[in-house]
Amino acid sequence: MLTSLDLILVVVYFITVLFIGWKVSRNEDNEGFLIGNRQVSTASLNATVSASLTGGSALAAYVAFLYLWGISAFWIFIGVAVGILAFIPFAIKIKKEGDIKGHYTMLDFLNEKFGKGNIIIAAGLLMLMFIAIILAEMIIGGKVFALVTGLPYWLSIIISSVVILIYVYLGGVKSDIRTDLFQYLMFFLLLVIGFMLFQKTSIDTAQLNILSIGVVQIIGLIIMGIFIIFVSADVWQRAYSAKDIKTLKMGFTYAALSYLLVGIIISVIGLIIKSNFPNINPNDAMIHGFSQLPAGLLGIGLIAILAAAMSTIDTGLIVGSLFVSRDIISRYKQTSKKELIRLTRIFIISLSLLTTILAMFTDNLVFVIYNMFNFALILAPAVTFSFFFDLKKKAIMWSLILGIISAIILVSFGQITPDVTVIPFFVSLIVLGVTQKLFKK
């Protein structure tokens, strides 16, 4: 349970995040709300890219994987880091075209390449992806907050949701990026926790075999890590928001390196938790481990997890809402920037309410995360190859439709693992290649 010191630390954290959102909103203009005025610095870009990819749910799931596979689970972080670096040449093209044409979203760039019908399908897939991301973060945030405070799970979810909604509603993308920078610094409080735990615990050397998971699983994790970057609409939006090309290159490079550093820190902490509590449910391992921290350190641990979760939720709310306001409504109805912001704020509230309600009745964290990858990777072949080839609209359509069908079939079985999760990706890839040859246009 939280002591007075822990509670003070958490309250100060919430107040600081809200203050940043309020401060940003005072001088906010339309471009600032939608894309951070395209003036985001290297440090902020590094922090916001890495922070949005390092959510609390991802950390909890990763600790669960450490229980199953030992340090071999680190291939997840390697795959994502490689994906960030591989994406840089594409991000440069995205940035250049985005500055000229005034793009705000991933689908702005893909609109001409995909066609209106395929853009709607893609927007639906990406919306599902971000609902799953936000839902997963709310689950882990609610579980941790409830465990250490003694508050009901549902009330814990509502408290964190309201705080996030306020600062995102006020400041939009600029507020999201500024709070991400602060939350990223708070996240590195995990260094303190790792150091304190490492002093008292030894790690079994049997857990340090990087290849223990097997070649098939390793390939699956690397594919998931690389291609999830190419379909992460929040990463695309960060590319648009960079100050210039040099800032983009440096920011993304540092993000890949700092993401690996985060992975090392979490790996150490996760293996320490496993050494101390080898027989608990892997899905709840991180929560149980952090709940054992002493006064003061418990508050720091809670802030670190909340920072990880909230930095991903706020990005999800902004980007997910823009899929509806910008990529669906604005395709059929001409809207001004002022009207676009009004619509985006409406959907921020709607998406926040939807995911808050869903989180109250859902707690299967790993299943939610696997399904996020399951559906998100369907887009990867069409998105990636659109940079190299003039893809036919019908080929893209059937690639997406049959990929979705295969993903639904996997969900119906309910048993999803990293090697199985990439099946919709390969279905989508093969269908795209075959239909690209078959269709004349």
Side-chain angles (χ1 to χ4, degrees):
M1 297 292 290
L2 287 180
T3 64
S4 297
L5 174 60
D6 296 316
L7 183 60
I8 290 170
L9 290 172
V10 173
V11 171
V12 169
Y13 166 72
F14 278 144
I15 291 173
T16 304
V17 170
L18 289 172
F19 174 76
I20 292 172
W22 170 78
K23 183 72 173 177
V24 168
S25 69
R26 291 185 64 194
N27 300 312
E28 187 74 287
D29 55 19
N30 293 339
E31 268 313 91
F33 185 93
L34 292 169
I35 204 66
N37 295 119
R38 305 182 196 272
Q39 291 295 315
V40 176
S41 67
T42 298
S44 293
L45 195 62
N46 165 32
T48 192
V49 170
S50 188
S52 63
L53 293 170
T54 316
S57 63
L59 299 182
Y62 180 64
V63 172
F65 294 148
L66 287 171
Y67 262 67
L68 298 174
W69 307 323
I71 197 62
S72 192
F74 190 66
W75 287 103
I76 298 171
F77 278 87
I78 293 174
V80 172
V82 171
I84 295 172
L85 294 174
F87 187 66
I88 291 175
F90 302 93
I92 292 171
K93 183 176 181 179
I94 291 164
K95 168 67 176 170
K96 288 179 178 178
E97 185 170 322
D99 285 351
I100 294 170
K101 297 184 178 180
H103 291 166
Y104 295 118
T105 71
M106 171 183 174
L107 298 183
D108 277 340
F109 182 89
L110 296 172
N111 185 46
E112 292 181 7
K113 301 172 185 292
F114 273 39
K116 185 178 289 186
N118 291 328
I119 283 292
I120 299 301
I121 298 174
L125 276 171
L126 289 168
M127 193 66 186
L128 282 176
M129 173 182 172
F130 276 91
I131 288 174
I133 290 171
I134 297 169
L135 179 58
E137 298 304 326
M138 286 187 172
I139 290 171
I140 190 62
K143 280 186 173 184
V144 172
F145 201 71
L147 180 66
V148 300
T149 62
L151 292 173
Y153 171 68
W154 63 269
L155 182 57
S156 300
I157 289 175
I158 290 175
I159 291 172
S160 56
S161 297
V162 169
V163 171
I164 297 167
L165 177 59
I166 291 172
Y167 72 73
V168 171
Y169 182 88
L170 289 173
V173 170
K174 186 182 286 188
S175 176
D176 174 19
I177 291 172
R178 292 285 178 84
T179 53
D180 273 359
L181 178 57
F182 170 69
Q183 288 165 332
Y184 189 63
L185 294 174
M186 292 301 99
F187 179 74
F188 273 92
L189 290 171
L190 285 173
L191 280 169
V192 177
I193 296 171
F195 177 75
M196 296 292 290
L197 292 174
F198 192 69
Q199 286 183 312
K200 302 176 182 179
T201 307
S202 60
I203 299 175
D204 184 359
T205 55
Q207 301 296 316
L208 303 180
N209 181 2
I210 193 70
L211 301 175
S212 64
I213 192 175
V215 175
V216 175
Q217 292 273 45
I218 288 173
I219 292 173
L221 291 176
I222 291 176
I223 289 173
M224 285 168 57
I226 292 174
F227 285 101
I228 199 64
I229 297 298
F230 282 77
V231 295
S232 291
D234 51 326
V235 176
W236 283 60
Q237 195 177 51
R238 295 318 187 233
Y240 291 141
S241 68
K243 184 177 180 180
D244 50 41
I245 298 301
K246 182 180 178 181
T247 298
L248 187 152
K249 290 179 181 177
M250 297 298 290
F252 274 60
T253 300
Y254 290 147
L257 296 175
S258 59
Y259 187 77
L260 286 175
L261 176 59
V262 168
I264 293 170
I265 295 168
I266 298 301
S267 296
V268 171
I269 293 175
L271 292 175
I272 289 171
I273 292 173
K274 181 177 180 180
S275 296
N276 286 317
F277 312 103
N279 299 317
I280 62 174
N281 184 341
N283 290 311
D284 297 324
M286 186 185 73
I287 298 173
H288 186 81
F290 274 77
S291 69
Q292 306 301 310
L293 294 171
L297 206 57
L298 177 59
I300 291 174
L302 179 56
I303 289 172
I305 297 304
L306 287 175
M310 290 170 67
S311 63
T312 302
I313 293 172
D314 54 21
T315 300
L317 288 175
I318 287 284
V319 179
S321 298
L322 279 170
F323 287 140
V324 183
S325 62
R326 175 73 172 180
D327 295 316
I328 296 179
I329 294 178
S330 293
R331 304 289 175 200
Y332 292 94
K333 176 185 175 184
Q334 188 172 357
T335 55
S336 64
K337 286 185 180 179
K338 184 177 180 180
E339 177 68 6
L340 180 61
I341 290 173
R342 188 186 71 83
L343 288 171
T344 303
R345 280 181 164 146
I346 289 173
F347 289 113
I348 284 171
I349 295 172
S350 302
L351 185 55
S352 179
L353 288 173
L354 172 63
T355 49
T356 299
I357 292 170
L358 289 174
M360 292 181 188
F361 300 99
T362 309
D363 62 359
N364 193 333
L365 183 62
V366 173
F367 185 72
V368 170
I369 290 175
Y370 271 144
N371 278 292
M372 182 272 289
F373 280 101
N374 190 30
F375 283 96
L377 290 175
I378 294 168
L379 273 170
V383 170
T384 304
F385 285 104
S386 69
F387 284 96
F388 302 100
F389 305 103
D390 182 17
L391 298 179
K392 295 165 185 173
K393 306 297 190 297
K394 285 185 178 180
I396 295 172
M397 180 188 71
W398 284 109
S399 171
L400 298 180
I401 289 174
L402 293 181
I404 291 170
I405 291 172
S406 67
I408 292 172
I409 292 172
L410 285 179
V411 172
S412 66
F413 284 107
Q415 298 294 323
I416 303 180
T417 56
D419 50 338
V420 174
T421 300
V422 297
I423 288 177
F425 166 81
F426 284 109
V427 169
S428 182
L429 176 63
I430 293 168
V431 172
L432 181 66
V434 171
T435 53
Q436 181 74 5
K437 294 292 184 181
L438 290 178
F439 293 123
K440 294 183 179 180
K441 61 179 181 178

mmCIF file of all heavy atoms in Angstrom, residues 186-204:
data_model
loop_
_atom_site.group_PDB
_atom_site.id
_atom_site.type_symbol
_atom_site.label_atom_id
_atom_site.label_comp_id
_atom_site.label_asym_id
_atom_site.label_seq_id
_atom_site.Cartn_x
_atom_site.Cartn_y
_atom_site.Cartn_z
ATOM 1 N N MET A 186 10.676 10.534 -16.352
ATOM 2 C CA MET A 186 10.153 9.820 -15.172
ATOM 3 C C MET A 186 10.329 8.313 -15.324
ATOM 4 O O MET A 186 10.609 7.605 -14.359
ATOM 5 C CB MET A 186 8.654 10.144 -14.985
ATOM 6 C CG MET A 186 8.350 11.574 -14.595
ATOM 7 S SD MET A 186 9.146 12.073 -13.033
ATOM 8 C CE MET A 186 10.587 12.957 -13.644
ATOM 9 N N PHE A 187 10.195 7.847 -16.565
ATOM 10 C CA PHE A 187 10.335 6.418 -16.806
ATOM 11 C C PHE A 187 11.720 5.920 -16.428
ATOM 12 O O PHE A 187 11.888 4.795 -15.965
ATOM 13 C CB PHE A 187 10.042 6.118 -18.277
ATOM 14 C CG PHE A 187 10.189 4.679 -18.647
ATOM 15 C CD1 PHE A 187 9.235 3.758 -18.252
ATOM 16 C CD2 PHE A 187 11.271 4.230 -19.372
ATOM 17 C CE1 PHE A 187 9.366 2.421 -18.579
ATOM 18 C CE2 PHE A 187 11.412 2.908 -19.699
ATOM 19 C CZ PHE A 187 10.452 2.004 -19.307
ATOM 20 N N PHE A 188 12.727 6.767 -16.613
ATOM 21 C CA PHE A 188 14.085 6.341 -16.287
ATOM 22 C C PHE A 188 14.335 6.272 -14.773
ATOM 23 O O PHE A 188 15.430 5.923 -14.335
ATOM 24 C CB PHE A 188 15.121 7.234 -16.982
ATOM 25 C CG PHE A 188 15.440 6.748 -18.364
ATOM 26 C CD1 PHE A 188 14.740 7.230 -19.454
ATOM 27 C CD2 PHE A 188 16.398 5.771 -18.571
ATOM 28 C CE1 PHE A 188 15.013 6.760 -20.734
ATOM 29 C CE2 PHE A 188 16.679 5.295 -19.847
ATOM 30 C CZ PHE A 188 15.994 5.792 -20.924
ATOM 31 N N LEU A 189 13.297 6.565 -13.994
ATOM 32 C CA LEU A 189 13.370 6.256 -12.568
ATOM 33 C C LEU A 189 13.504 4.748 -12.357
ATOM 34 O O LEU A 189 13.924 4.297 -11.288
ATOM 35 C CB LEU A 189 12.118 6.768 -11.846
ATOM 36 C CG LEU A 189 11.987 8.293 -11.734
ATOM 37 C CD1 LEU A 189 10.613 8.658 -11.203
ATOM 38 C CD2 LEU A 189 13.073 8.867 -10.852
ATOM 39 N N LEU A 190 13.135 3.992 -13.396
ATOM 40 C CA LEU A 190 13.324 2.543 -13.323
ATOM 41 C C LEU A 190 14.793 2.177 -13.137
ATOM 42 O O LEU A 190 15.115 1.107 -12.623
ATOM 43 C CB LEU A 190 12.777 1.875 -14.587
ATOM 44 C CG LEU A 190 11.252 1.773 -14.697
ATOM 45 C CD1 LEU A 190 10.863 1.263 -16.063
ATOM 46 C CD2 LEU A 190 10.678 0.895 -13.615
ATOM 47 N N LEU A 191 15.691 3.049 -13.565
ATOM 48 C CA LEU A 191 17.115 2.827 -13.314
ATOM 49 C C LEU A 191 17.393 2.722 -11.819
ATOM 50 O O LEU A 191 18.170 1.877 -11.364
ATOM 51 C CB LEU A 191 17.937 3.983 -13.906
ATOM 52 C CG LEU A 191 18.218 3.949 -15.409
ATOM 53 C CD1 LEU A 191 18.800 5.278 -15.853
ATOM 54 C CD2 LEU A 191 19.160 2.813 -15.739
ATOM 55 N N VAL A 192 16.751 3.608 -11.048
ATOM 56 C CA VAL A 192 16.917 3.601 -9.587
ATOM 57 C C VAL A 192 16.411 2.291 -9.013
ATOM 58 O O VAL A 192 17.075 1.645 -8.188
ATOM 59 C CB VAL A 192 16.151 4.788 -8.952
ATOM 60 C CG1 VAL A 192 16.257 4.743 -7.437
ATOM 61 C CG2 VAL A 192 16.676 6.101 -9.501
ATOM 62 N N ILE A 193 15.229 1.883 -9.488
ATOM 63 C CA ILE A 193 14.635 0.640 -8.988
ATOM 64 C C ILE A 193 15.507 -0.553 -9.350
ATOM 65 O O ILE A 193 15.771 -1.426 -8.515
ATOM 66 C CB ILE A 193 13.211 0.461 -9.576
ATOM 67 C CG1 ILE A 193 12.314 1.594 -9.073
ATOM 68 C CG2 ILE A 193 12.627 -0.891 -9.203
ATOM 69 C CD1 ILE A 193 10.977 1.648 -9.739
ATOM 70 N N GLY A 194 15.964 -0.585 -10.608
ATOM 71 C CA GLY A 194 16.817 -1.689 -11.037
ATOM 72 C C GLY A 194 18.082 -1.780 -10.202
ATOM 73 O O GLY A 194 18.516 -2.868 -9.814
ATOM 74 N N PHE A 195 18.695 -0.632 -9.915
ATOM 75 C CA PHE A 195 19.915 -0.617 -9.109
ATOM 76 C C PHE A 195 19.643 -1.140 -7.699
ATOM 77 O O PHE A 195 20.407 -1.958 -7.161
ATOM 78 C CB PHE A 195 20.467 0.806 -9.039
ATOM 79 C CG PHE A 195 21.689 0.935 -8.167
ATOM 80 C CD1 PHE A 195 22.925 0.477 -8.615
ATOM 81 C CD2 PHE A 195 21.603 1.494 -6.907
ATOM 82 C CE1 PHE A 195 24.052 0.588 -7.816
ATOM 83 C CE2 PHE A 195 22.723 1.609 -6.099
ATOM 84 C CZ PHE A 195 23.948 1.155 -6.559
ATOM 85 N N MET A 196 18.536 -0.702 -7.094
ATOM 86 C CA MET A 196 18.203 -1.125 -5.727
ATOM 87 C C MET A 196 17.955 -2.633 -5.667
ATOM 88 O O MET A 196 18.398 -3.313 -4.740
ATOM 89 C CB MET A 196 16.956 -0.379 -5.237
ATOM 90 C CG MET A 196 17.142 1.132 -5.117
ATOM 91 S SD MET A 196 18.291 1.602 -3.802
ATOM 92 C CE MET A 196 17.333 1.180 -2.352
ATOM 93 N N LEU A 197 17.256 -3.159 -6.688
ATOM 94 C CA LEU A 197 16.955 -4.592 -6.700
ATOM 95 C C LEU A 197 18.195 -5.423 -7.008
ATOM 96 O O LEU A 197 18.399 -6.490 -6.452
ATOM 97 C CB LEU A 197 15.865 -4.881 -7.735
ATOM 98 C CG LEU A 197 14.459 -4.337 -7.440
ATOM 99 C CD1 LEU A 197 13.542 -4.581 -8.623
ATOM 100 C CD2 LEU A 197 13.878 -4.965 -6.185
ATOM 101 N N PHE A 198 19.017 -4.927 -7.933
ATOM 102 C CA PHE A 198 20.170 -5.687 -8.390
ATOM 103 C C PHE A 198 21.192 -5.893 -7.271
ATOM 104 O O PHE A 198 21.930 -6.880 -7.272
ATOM 105 C CB PHE A 198 20.831 -4.966 -9.567
ATOM 106 C CG PHE A 198 21.849 -5.805 -10.287
ATOM 107 C CD1 PHE A 198 21.458 -6.904 -11.034
ATOM 108 C CD2 PHE A 198 23.199 -5.504 -10.220
ATOM 109 C CE1 PHE A 198 22.385 -7.683 -11.707
ATOM 110 C CE2 PHE A 198 24.138 -6.271 -10.889
ATOM 111 C CZ PHE A 198 23.723 -7.361 -11.633
ATOM 112 N N GLN A 199 21.215 -4.979 -6.315
ATOM 113 C CA GLN A 199 22.145 -5.099 -5.206
ATOM 114 C C GLN A 199 21.854 -6.328 -4.345
ATOM 115 O O GLN A 199 22.731 -6.860 -3.687
ATOM 116 C CB GLN A 199 22.074 -3.854 -4.320
ATOM 117 C CG GLN A 199 22.733 -2.627 -4.935
ATOM 118 C CD GLN A 199 22.686 -1.449 -3.977
ATOM 119 O OE1 GLN A 199 21.650 -1.133 -3.394
ATOM 120 N NE2 GLN A 199 23.821 -0.787 -3.808
ATOM 121 N N LYS A 200 20.603 -6.781 -4.366
ATOM 122 C CA LYS A 200 20.177 -7.822 -3.434
ATOM 123 C C LYS A 200 19.852 -9.152 -4.103
ATOM 124 O O LYS A 200 19.511 -10.116 -3.417
ATOM 125 C CB LYS A 200 18.932 -7.342 -2.659
ATOM 126 C CG LYS A 200 19.165 -6.047 -1.899
ATOM 127 C CD LYS A 200 17.884 -5.579 -1.236
ATOM 128 C CE LYS A 200 18.071 -4.249 -0.514
ATOM 129 N NZ LYS A 200 16.829 -3.779 0.116
ATOM 130 N N THR A 201 19.937 -9.219 -5.423
ATOM 131 C CA THR A 201 19.481 -10.419 -6.121
ATOM 132 C C THR A 201 20.483 -10.857 -7.182
ATOM 133 O O THR A 201 21.036 -10.032 -7.893
ATOM 134 C CB THR A 201 18.119 -10.156 -6.803
ATOM 135 O OG1 THR A 201 17.214 -9.641 -5.841
ATOM 136 C CG2 THR A 201 17.556 -11.440 -7.390
ATOM 137 N N SER A 202 20.674 -12.157 -7.281
ATOM 138 C CA SER A 202 21.491 -12.713 -8.358
ATOM 139 C C SER A 202 20.572 -13.351 -9.389
ATOM 140 O O SER A 202 19.502 -13.857 -9.060
ATOM 141 C CB SER A 202 22.460 -13.766 -7.807
ATOM 142 O OG SER A 202 21.747 -14.820 -7.193
ATOM 143 N N ILE A 203 20.984 -13.300 -10.657
ATOM 144 C CA ILE A 203 20.181 -13.848 -11.743
ATOM 145 C C ILE A 203 20.757 -15.184 -12.175
ATOM 146 O O ILE A 203 21.970 -15.316 -12.372
ATOM 147 C CB ILE A 203 20.152 -12.870 -12.933
ATOM 148 C CG1 ILE A 203 19.518 -11.538 -12.515
ATOM 149 C CG2 ILE A 203 19.398 -13.468 -14.109
ATOM 150 C CD1 ILE A 203 19.571 -10.477 -13.601
ATOM 151 N N ASP A 204 19.895 -16.178 -12.319
ATOM 152 C CA ASP A 204 20.300 -17.512 -12.758
ATOM 153 C C ASP A 204 20.893 -17.425 -14.168
ATOM 154 O O ASP A 204 20.261 -16.900 -15.090
ATOM 155 C CB ASP A 204 19.073 -18.432 -12.747
ATOM 156 C CG ASP A 204 19.422 -19.872 -13.110
ATOM 157 O OD1 ASP A 204 20.607 -20.148 -13.385
ATOM 158 O OD2 ASP A 204 18.496 -20.707 -13.139
#
